[in-house]
Amino acid sequence: MTRKQRRLTLIAGGLAVLGTALGLVLFAMRDTIVFFRSPSDIAEMGIAPGTRMRLGGLVKEGSIVKPGGQTVRFVVTDGGGEINVSYTGLLPDLFREGQGVVTEGVLNPDGGFSADSVLARHDENYMPREVADALKEKGLWQHASGEGANAPAVPALTQ
Amino acid sequence: MIVELGHYALTLALGLSLVQWVLPFWGARAGDSALMAMAAPAALGTFAALMTSFAALTWAYVVSDFSVLNVVENSHSMKPMIYKISGVWGNHEGSMLLWVVILTLFGALVALSRTLPERLKALTLSVQASVTIAFLLFILLTSNPFTRLDPAPFEGRDLNPLLQDIGLAVHPPLLYLGYVGFSISFAFAVAALIDGRIDAVWARAARPWTLTAWVFLTLGISMGSYWAYYELGWGGWWFWDPVENASFMPWIAGTALIHSTVVMEKRDALKVWTILLAIVTFSLSLIGTFLVRSGVLTSVHAFATDPERGTFILLILIFFIGGSLALFAWRAPMLRQGGIFAPVSREGALVLNNLLLSTACATVFIGTLYPLALEGLTGDKISVGPPYFEATFLPIMMPLILFMPLGQTLAWKRGDLLGAAQRLIWAFAAALALSLVVAAVTRRGPVLALVGVGLGFFALAGSLSEIVTRSWSRGMPLATAWRRARGLPRSAWGTAVAHAGIGVIVLGVSATAWGVETLAVVRPGETIAAGPYTLRLDSVTPRTQHTYRAEVARFSVLRGGVPVGPLEAERRFYATRGMATTEAGLMTRGLGQIYVGLGEPDASGGIGVRLYWKPYVLLIWIGTLITALGGGLSLFDRRLRIGAPQKARQRTKAPVAAAPAAS
């Protein structure tokens, strides 16, 4: 091969790989990204059932119901709207009433939300940023909401 | 008093690094050896000052000095000593201090190296000092770990329970040794650009540092993954979470870098690309630090963070990345380009490796930063999760792993594709046969996992074949072959071992497809089953330890009705922070693991249990250890120990004197 041909081979190979990767990225971006919504977004935007999304807000006080088995139902609120969520599985250690939560799942035709994951947090002072922003919009944000002082006993140890 | 000494030493380090920044640079411009020689003592002094500072903070933690705000917020007098010490870097301020300590450790090691050319050493240390200065200013101005608290409380607020684990003692230091180690490659690259000269001597000098950093980063990511696996209680070992990607991107770029420096060293080609890659790798480390420390993203690994500090790191980021890329754009055209070479050759294969790795790195980069960019532009909040990365990263990595054995078989300059393929035919046949066996035994499982098994076996067999074909030919006695194999250069062994490790990782990852998960509420005396194992819940009892209370669930593990042993899982409640955590129960069976996560008790007296059977899951971490070992072997290759060739001739008496990596 001549010098020119070699260079062309290299450039063509490089462009082929980059083109393929770009295609993959665009394809994946269309199909796999998930939007974050707050309960009032869902009420306002009229999102079609079956849409996969992340739902974030506060777990409404007194709304956690355990009908049996590993299923749990609770209400996520941001002050402007409320969504009933059902989830089957182990809840993260810091899941509590009145605390921020992010769940991922699908919106049902009846307006409820079937979550297949509830995101855990690492820290009792930490509020998922999307939730904090959504709450700030609704004027519900209190910075001290998780400052350790109001730590309720965890159900596991009160039985 | 000791705390003030620590604070003073931190400030002193800033002064010393200013000296290390200005004088050697000036010396290199003016050609003044005396000024250039100031670099080494200044670098050693900075390191000593920062070690003093770090020791002072550690002391404050060890004696639980609650007049220091940082200790109050992250420690507790009842905490076990190991967690008191690891708690030093289990918080923002302390971990930034560890960051600069390691940064200057590398600077000190470069200062001690006796094989580096004078100018290169002076400029490298000067560039490195500029990074040190930026981060010391960051610590002193926004994150001072030595802030006092008056009046001092009687008790601290304890460390985040998730961090009270041996993982914290191991993972961050290893990760930082990797992350921050790339600063040396970066400093070398910028020094070469300033000097406008780059050659094989440069490649040979820079390679051990890059390799050292890469080995530590490999270990750090691996340990972090295992830690998250057993501590978070979800059974997952990699979540494609932004914080994980933050450490993974420099790893991918660093992997490309250690391969491209080989081409530069052997063939005097790919120079400009290697320089760019060195800059990009450290830039990704800086971006990673920014992502983790600024709190701009939501992550499963995010701890409470302060957005104000993010702005400062962002400025550092813009200065170094922007500055070095601008310097690159200005100076790179002056570097003499190496020759172009045949596509079918070892160097051609390494170019393909670099192309695929950098593309893969770019897809991870896009997936990690796209949500941030989109939110900035449109306000839409999105999350890019594992499906994205599986759809983009895997299709790029699979051909890479397929070509990996072929690449290491090809000869330099002009490779023989047919010959290489012929030498690999046995490896390929073996891989195909083994994956057919796996398919026949398991009878089910996704096609992708079977392809993964095939690729994993091919990488393993390819590495074995490489060693065998280089040391044995038909009719040769095994003893001779063994002697020849032992005589192969360490770098050949390093390559084969590291690539075999990748194969092992791929096998472990593919095996996750055959994992089984069961979720149930279990009462004492009842059982839960997953895969071949059945677990019987024997009891749930309370236990009180240092700073927490726990509910311990004891299980008996049975296989086909035969007991194989007990297993314990815990749910802990840390009173000081009001936090609950779960400690997964693990039992290792062969290379697989039984994994139990506990949920909350329900009203009927049962407890939520998530049981996994994960066959061959340990291969993932064993593979990373093998890969790191391969990197270590390459590091001790003779040509790297001896250092730059012209220096070696001058110093025939002490050829092994400089082994930077050995320290």
Side-chain angles (χ1 to χ4, degrees), chain A residues 2 17 19 47 57 72 81 91 107 116 120 136 144 150:
Chain A
T2 66
V17 171
I47 294 163
V72 58
L91 287 165
L107 197 63
D116 45 40
K136 275 175 193 160
N150 58 348

Side-chain angles (χ1 to χ4, degrees), chain A residues 1-10 13-29 31-37 45 52 54 66 68-71 87-96 102 104 116 118-131 133-134 137 146-148 151-159, chain B residues 157 160-162 231-234 295-305 338-344 348 351-352 355-356 359 363 366-367 370 372 374-375 380-385 387-389 391-392 395-396 414 519-522 540 549-551 571-573 575-582 597-602 605-610:
Chain A
M1 272 196 273
T2 66
R3 204 178 160 79
K4 195 175 172 187
Q5 278 172 326
R6 283 179 179 182
R7 187 173 286 148
L8 277 176
T9 321
L10 285 177
L15 286 179
V17 171
L18 287 178
T20 314
L22 188 68
L24 286 171
V25 166
L26 292 176
F27 178 75
M29 278 291 178
D31 286 1
T32 63
I33 57 168
V34 182
F35 279 85
F36 177 89
R37 307 285 186 211
M45 297 167 87
R52 196 170 171 75
R54 280 193 174 186
K66 291 182 179 167
Q70 299 259 305
T71 304
Y87 168 71
T88 301
L90 296 190
L91 287 165
D93 298 322
L94 285 167
F95 180 84
R96 276 176 223 158
V102 173
E104 190 170 324
D116 45 40
V118 173
L119 296 196
R121 303 170 307 155
H122 270 2
D123 187 313
E124 82 279 18
N125 297 332
Y126 174 69
M127 175 74 78
R129 199 174 48 90
E130 289 92 342
V131 175
D133 288 352
E137 269 175 33
E147 275 301 322
V154 167
L157 294 146
T158 51
Q159 60 177 9
Chain B
R157 292 183 43 207
N160 186 324
L162 289 169
E231 184 68 37
L232 292 182
W234 310 337
V296 294
L297 24 86
T298 301
S299 151
V300 294
H301 302 292
F303 295 86
T305 41
I340 199 142
F341 39 75
V344 180
V351 169
L352 181 67
L355 182 65
L356 289 170
T359 313
T363 61
I366 293 170
Y370 180 65
L372 278 180
L374 190 71
E375 192 182 340
D380 276 336
K381 296 188 176 77
I382 59 161
S383 81
V384 173
Y388 165 84
F389 295 99
T392 54
I396 301 172
R414 189 166 301 160
L519 199 65
V521 174
V522 185
V540 181
R549 285 175 289 146
E551 297 263 296
R571 213 178 137 74
R572 293 180 180 173
F573 179 68
T576 320
R577 290 214 169 204
M579 253 178 97
T581 68
T582 47
L598 290 187
E600 294 187 3
D602 76 346
I607 189 163
V609 175
R610 178 175 259 172

